[in-house]
Amino acid sequence: MLLVPLKMQRGSEEEVEGDVEDEEFIDEECSEEGEGDRRAKGAAIGRTITLQMLLAANILQPGEANMSIEYMGQRFLGDLLSDGKIKSLETDIIFASPSAWACHCKRMVNPDKKSGCGWASVKYQGQKLDYFKNKYFKQLQKGEDDVEEEAGDKASDPRLGKSCMGPGKSSAIDGNTLLEATPFSSLGKIQPFLVSISTNAALVIDFHCHLTTSEVVGYLAGHWDINAHVLCITAAYPCRCRLNDAELAPLVEEDIARAIEARRLSLIGWYHSHPNAPPTPTLRDVEAQLDYEIRMKGNSDAAYLPCIGFICSPYAEDSVSLESSLSSFWVIPPPESKPHDHGKPMLMTYSVIQDQFLSQDALNEMKKCSEFYRGDQDFINFNEKYKGNITYLEKMKASVSSKFPRDQSDGLLWSVLSELVCPPAPKPANPGYISTDIASALFATGKFPPALVSLFPPFIPGISQPPTSS
């Protein structure tokens, strides 16, 4: 499904966030005891565990002084808050993660300490957090097995595969078969990380997908907030080439990679369109998404970067809304005991962050997209009727307007976008004629310099042809 493989390399760890250059206080710097077991189990949910997830699973309970750290003879206490953060009793500072709190405490004793190793050194009611993390993994695995056994024939649409787990890789199922994505809430779970997308990025995606009846694809860039466990999508980069263009695709990808690097962003996902179908991942989408997750997870927790997939359906046949359907999904790998199964597509919730201004990059991307597809057979004729008396242009306006930035209330942006897809008819070239009034005045004098003959309008009332001087 994806146009080209994800080959882009992320920047060095120091580039992720300026204020968290020491986010190396992740578990990879802990002792090696139990590391292999944690890696194997962590693969089930992208190795992203938060205290908030343990609270939601009723494994931990908020309370005063129930968190502790012992380091070089010193003991530190903290309150576990209901939102999964830790409040230090010594400093009253609130920390977003065990690692951040552990690093702070250890630096108070040893200023040269560069890591916190929170999950291995922080205790909850006297028991290391690793114990509760493993308990969570066992609970999650049990829930996955129960769901898989109950999946059966729950798919209501004959085009859908099993609602929670795709068919085995060895089956001869069509790669275009839709696999219904499962919300984490239906499993009684919290999704492993939060997702936000800016209106600049969402606008580019929606505009790009509206342009053609063919499937399109592009990349998503932004930042990974490791403390808050939020994946922030701030920019979208359309791939301006055809899906089967093996020659142009690598060049397009290189240009996108340079653009992302120049803006000090990280590659964090991809998007594609289902022009007339619902925004449900296909078997091929699920395989591609899982492959990208594995490529981008890095060699350690510090290098881990989530990868998210978005699907945009601008003209879904069964849609009752003029606005495009946009969904986000993530894939849980199959259990190690069933390596021939496909991953489980999970529906991800996301929040839309309205930008104050339209970025120049977003405007440029939309301009280049319209230029690339215009004139092709699959380019949408936006003057034609979409449904009833509604044109494709009116349909697109209803969809993209919700993604405009705050400063675009005067209609100027829509004027620009509508001209990109429906260019005004070219005006006839001005031959340089002088006005009729001036021509009539000169005609009344009876004197016409030869140099002015060519400047007379061709049809002046009462003049059959330009006069000549006597």
Side-chain angles (χ1 to χ4, degrees):
M1 182 70 68
L2 190 60
L3 174 64
V4 283
L6 283 170
K7 299 178 182 177
M8 292 182 245
Q9 299 296 320
R10 301 184 301 281
S12 61
E13 296 170 20
E14 291 78 14
E15 295 177 352
V16 176
E17 290 289 348
D19 294 334
V20 291
E21 60 179 328
D22 287 318
E23 275 304 319
E24 52 284 46
F25 44 72
I26 312 298
D27 294 345
E28 82 283 354
E29 292 197 9
C30 303
S31 62
E32 295 297 324
E33 180 182 359
E35 180 66 17
D37 183 56
R38 288 200 303 274
R39 288 179 184 275
K41 294 177 180 177
I45 57 169
R47 302 177 66 193
T48 304
I49 299 296
T50 66
L51 293 180
Q52 187 177 15
M53 294 165 62
L54 299 184
L55 288 168
N58 291 321
I59 293 176
L60 303 183
Q61 298 294 331
E64 297 180 359
N66 55 2
M67 309 295 290
S68 62
I69 295 175
E70 295 180 2
Y71 179 66
M72 296 181 67
Q74 299 291 323
R75 191 166 188 265
F76 301 89
L77 296 176
D79 298 338
L80 178 58
L81 306 180
S82 59
D83 59 358
K85 297 179 181 179
I86 301 173
K87 180 180 179 181
S88 169
L89 294 187
E90 288 78 22
T91 62
D92 286 336
I93 298 176
I94 297 177
F95 297 89
S97 69
S99 296
W101 182 47
C103 186
H104 172 77
C105 294
K106 292 180 179 182
R107 284 178 176 173
M108 291 174 65
V109 179
N110 179 13
D112 294 329
K113 182 65 176 175
K114 294 297 184 182
S115 65
C117 193
W119 286 95
S121 59
V122 174
K123 295 180 179 181
Y124 170 79
Q125 295 183 348
Q127 183 76 39
K128 286 189 176 181
L129 285 180
D130 272 347
Y131 167 81
F132 300 99
K133 179 193 290 187
N134 291 334
K135 186 176 180 180
Y136 176 83
F137 280 132
K138 291 178 181 179
Q139 180 175 314
L140 178 64
Q141 186 63 52
K142 183 178 183 301
E144 290 176 358
D145 293 340
D146 292 344
V147 170
E148 183 178 349
E149 291 175 2
E150 297 173 1
D153 300 323
K154 288 183 179 179
S156 58
D157 191 324
R159 296 173 299 174
L160 300 180
K162 289 184 179 180
S163 61
C164 294
M165 177 65 74
K169 293 181 181 179
S170 60
S171 66
I173 191 169
D174 186 353
N176 292 321
T177 300
L178 300 177
L179 301 180
E180 187 177 13
T182 305
F184 279 92
S185 59
S186 68
L187 302 179
K189 306 297 181 185
I190 298 177
Q191 65 185 48
F193 54 90
L194 302 178
V195 181
S196 70
I197 182 170
S198 70
T199 50
N200 276 329
L203 176 59
V204 172
I205 294 173
D206 202 12
F207 182 83
H208 183 199
C209 295
H210 267 93
L211 295 179
T212 171
T213 57
S214 299
E215 184 175 316
V216 302
V217 71
Y219 292 104
L220 303 173
H223 302 284
W224 166 235
D225 188 333
I226 195 171
N227 281 326
H229 286 272
V230 178
L231 196 66
C232 305
I233 302 167
T234 59
Y237 293 90
C239 291
R240 285 181 290 275
C241 62
R242 297 294 178 172
L243 294 181
N244 57 356
D245 193 337
E247 181 177 352
L248 182 58
L251 301 178
V252 171
E253 188 181 48
E254 290 177 4
D255 287 342
I256 294 176
R258 285 192 291 269
I260 292 177
E261 182 179 3
R263 289 153 184 78
R264 301 182 67 81
L265 302 175
S266 297
L267 173 67
I268 53 178
W270 62 296
Y271 72 88
H272 69 285
S273 68
H274 287 181
N276 300 302
T280 303
T282 65
L283 177 60
R284 188 177 294 109
D285 296 338
V286 170
E287 291 178 340
Q289 172 65 24
L290 182 56
D291 181 48
Y292 303 144
E293 290 175 15
I294 294 173
R295 293 189 189 199
M296 294 175 62
K297 70 177 183 179
N299 298 322
S300 65
D301 286 341
Y304 171 73
L305 188 65
C307 175
I308 195 75
F310 272 77
I311 304 175
C312 181
S313 299
Y315 305 115
E317 296 176 355
D318 57 352
S319 177
V320 296
S321 172
L322 294 180
E323 190 164 357
S324 299
S325 298
L326 185 65
S327 68
S328 177
F329 73 105
W330 188 72
V331 176
I332 293 180
E336 293 183 355
S337 60
K338 301 179 181 180
H340 297 294
D341 280 352
H342 290 288
K344 181 188 301 181
M346 305 300 296
L347 189 66
M348 300 287 284
T349 61
Y350 62 89
S351 59
V352 179
I353 309 299
Q354 188 177 25
D355 291 300
Q356 182 67 36
F357 307 104
L358 178 70
S359 70
Q360 188 62 47
D361 286 345
L363 182 58
N364 289 341
E365 292 294 339
M366 290 187 287
K367 286 182 178 179
K368 292 176 182 178
C369 276
S370 63
E371 293 170 359
F372 178 81
Y373 293 102
R374 189 185 303 128
D376 291 347
Q377 291 183 348
D378 53 358
F379 183 71
I380 295 291
N381 184 344
F382 287 90
N383 290 318
E384 289 185 350
K385 300 296 183 181
Y386 169 63
K387 287 182 179 180
N389 293 324
I390 300 174
T391 65
Y392 279 91
L393 186 64
E394 292 170 332
K395 189 272 177 209
M396 185 174 74
K397 180 181 181 181
S399 185
V400 301
S401 295
S402 63
K403 304 170 182 66
F404 284 1
R406 292 192 183 96
D407 70 333
Q408 294 297 331
S409 59
D410 55 2
L412 179 59
L413 177 56
W414 173 243
S415 297
V416 173
L417 297 184
S418 61
E419 287 192 7
L420 290 180
V421 297
C422 293
K427 297 180 180 180
N430 183 0
Y433 295 129
I434 62 177
S435 68
T436 302
D437 292 341
I438 296 178
S440 300
L442 290 174
F443 176 75
T445 65
K447 297 181 180 180
F448 300 91
L452 296 180
V453 171
S454 62
L455 299 181
F456 280 93
F459 302 104
I460 299 177
I463 303 178
S464 58
Q465 61 181 11
T468 58
S469 57
S470 55

